[in-house]
């Protein structure tokens, strides 16, 4: 509660935890990838439906939301194929990732306003990183296809952490890699699992994108605020309401955050 009260506090001149007032970024944005930066959920749904269908499991939108969305491969395949040995499930996951990347080449695009918002954040001196439950090859592929890869020096992948989302380790790792206290990091997420990870990590704020989930489901997971996408005027308005806006010296985008697509 104390960390979130820093973000919404209006005390003039107050510093965030760990802020020495020195040079360098005073704020960081940690972005989930699938469904947050990249409109990949339709591609994931198509690839899971095809792959799981060949193994006798029907995947529709409801099954995808309940058993796949926001989860790592280990959990996804253990839920759907509990009787299959772990090593075989790993091989199945690799096959599904390859299918996903092949479909992505033709169909993947970024979430509305994502490229413009990240570019604006970097122009303001905000540190940025990607924190995803995706495997490394797929993360690199997605960011490259959507023209986002050059924005990020740090990409944290859940399968490479001690525990993936919904546990806090990926976001703690992201904050560590950009040398920013997690108390001065704003998390952007689209899934309840990812929101829970950001909250568990004790990020200053977790903003939910309603790309596939409702405001109610994201807030139930702990999101402090939700927006439709990065071009939603409510996003910058919300950021301006937080005390760090002036502390970090942020300036409102001159023409707002426009659509990338």
């Amino acid at each position: 509660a104390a960390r979130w009260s820093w973000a919404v506090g209006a005390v003039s001149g107050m510093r965030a935890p760990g802020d020495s007032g020195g040079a360098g970024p005073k704020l960081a944005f940690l972005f989930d990838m699938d469904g947050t930066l990249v409109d990949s959920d339709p591609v994931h749904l198509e690839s899971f439906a095809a792959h799981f269908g060949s193994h006798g499991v029907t995947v529709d939108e409801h099954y995808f939301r309940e058993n796949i969305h926001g989860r790592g491969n280990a959990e996804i395949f253990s839920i759907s194929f509990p009787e299959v040995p772990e090593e075989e499930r790993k091989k199945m996951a690799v096959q599904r990732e390859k299918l996903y990347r092949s479909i992505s080449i033709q169909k993947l695009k970024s979430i509305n306003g994502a490229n413009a918002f990240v570019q604006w954040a970097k122009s303001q001196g905000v540190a940025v990183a990607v924190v995803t439950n995706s495997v490394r090859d797929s993360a690199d592929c997605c960011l490259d296809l959507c023209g986002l890869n050059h924005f990020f020096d740090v990409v944290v992948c859940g399968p490479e952490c001690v525990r993936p989302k919904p546990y806090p380790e990926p976001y703690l790792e992201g904050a560590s890699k950009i040398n920013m206290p997690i108390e001065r990091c704003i998390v952007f997420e689209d899934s309840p699992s990812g929101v829970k990870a950001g909250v568990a990590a004790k990020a200053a704020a977790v903003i939910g994108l309603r790309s596939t989930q409702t405001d109610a489901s994201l807030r139930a997971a702990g999101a402090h605020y939700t927006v439709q996408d990065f071009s939603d005027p409510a996003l910058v308005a919300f950021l301006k309401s937080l005390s760090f806006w002036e502390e970090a010296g942020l300036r409102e985008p001159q023409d707002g955050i426009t659509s990338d697509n």
Side-chain angles (χ1 to χ4, degrees), residues 3 163 166-169 171-172 182 187 193-203 206 221-222 224:
R3 290 178 172 86
R163 296 184 298 181
Y167 299 101
E169 280 85 349
Y171 279 113
L172 294 174
I182 190 65
V187 165
S193 173
V195 168
K196 290 175 182 177
V199 172
K202 295 182 171 59
V206 179
H224 301 104

Side-chain angles (χ1 to χ4, degrees), residues 5 43 58 63 75 78-79 82 85 95 128 132 138 140 149 151 165 169 175 189 200 212 227 247 249 255 257:
S5 66
V43 184
T58 300
Y63 189 95
E75 184 179 8
S78 66
I79 289 172
Q95 293 168 354
V128 298
T132 175
S138 292
D140 290 344
N149 55 329
F151 290 128
K165 305 173 193 177
E169 280 85 349
E189 270 286 355
T212 58
V227 294
E247 293 165 9
D255 299 315
I257 301 297

Side-chain angles (χ1 to χ4, degrees), residues 39-173:
D39 189 16
S40 55
D41 285 342
V43 184
H44 276 299
L45 174 57
E46 182 177 344
S47 63
F48 272 110
H51 185 60
F52 279 28
S54 68
H55 293 278
V57 175
T58 300
V59 175
D60 56 15
E61 289 188 7
H62 176 76
Y63 189 95
F64 180 80
R65 283 196 307 272
E66 295 299 317
N67 300 293
I68 295 173
H69 187 233
R71 303 178 190 270
N73 275 332
E75 184 179 8
I76 291 169
F77 281 82
S78 66
I79 289 172
S80 296
F81 303 99
E83 74 288 350
V84 175
E86 183 178 358
E87 287 304 311
E88 185 61 29
R89 292 201 299 262
K90 289 180 179 179
K91 293 178 182 178
M92 293 168 65
V94 170
Q95 293 168 354
R96 205 287 308 180
E97 292 287 351
K98 289 181 178 178
L99 177 58
Y100 167 71
R101 290 193 291 272
S102 69
I103 299 173
S104 294
I105 293 173
Q106 299 296 325
K107 299 186 176 182
L108 201 64
K109 62 181 181 178
S110 57
I111 289 289
N112 195 27
N115 298 59
F117 183 81
V118 178
Q119 184 175 20
W120 167 78
K122 294 203 70 169
S123 76
Q124 299 297 300
V126 176
V128 298
V130 172
V131 180
T132 175
N133 261 356
S134 178
V135 299
R136 177 71 55 181
D137 286 347
S138 292
D140 290 344
C141 175
C142 287
L143 294 173
D144 183 53
L145 287 172
C146 291
L148 288 160
N149 55 329
H150 66 285
F151 290 128
F152 299 100
D153 294 324
V154 171
V155 178
V156 174
C157 295
E160 298 172 7
C161 298
V162 175
R163 296 184 298 181
K165 305 173 193 177
Y167 299 101
E169 280 85 349
Y171 279 113
L172 294 174
E173 179 75 5

Side-chain angles (χ1 to χ4, degrees), residues 161-236:
C161 298
V162 175
R163 296 184 298 181
K165 305 173 193 177
Y167 299 101
E169 280 85 349
Y171 279 113
L172 294 174
E173 179 75 5
S176 175
K177 284 186 176 293
I178 57 175
N179 298 311
M180 187 69 67
I182 190 65
E183 297 91 347
R184 285 194 275 131
C185 294
I186 307 300
V187 165
F188 294 85
E189 270 286 355
D190 76 305
S191 72
S193 173
V195 168
K196 290 175 182 177
V199 172
K202 295 182 171 59
V206 179
I207 299 175
L209 272 74
R210 303 189 300 271
S211 53
T212 58
Q213 299 286 332
T214 64
D215 175 83
S217 64
L218 292 168
R219 287 185 184 271
H224 301 104
Y225 196 71
T226 75
V227 294
Q228 186 59 46
D229 55 40
F230 291 102
S231 69
D232 189 337
L235 175 55
V236 172

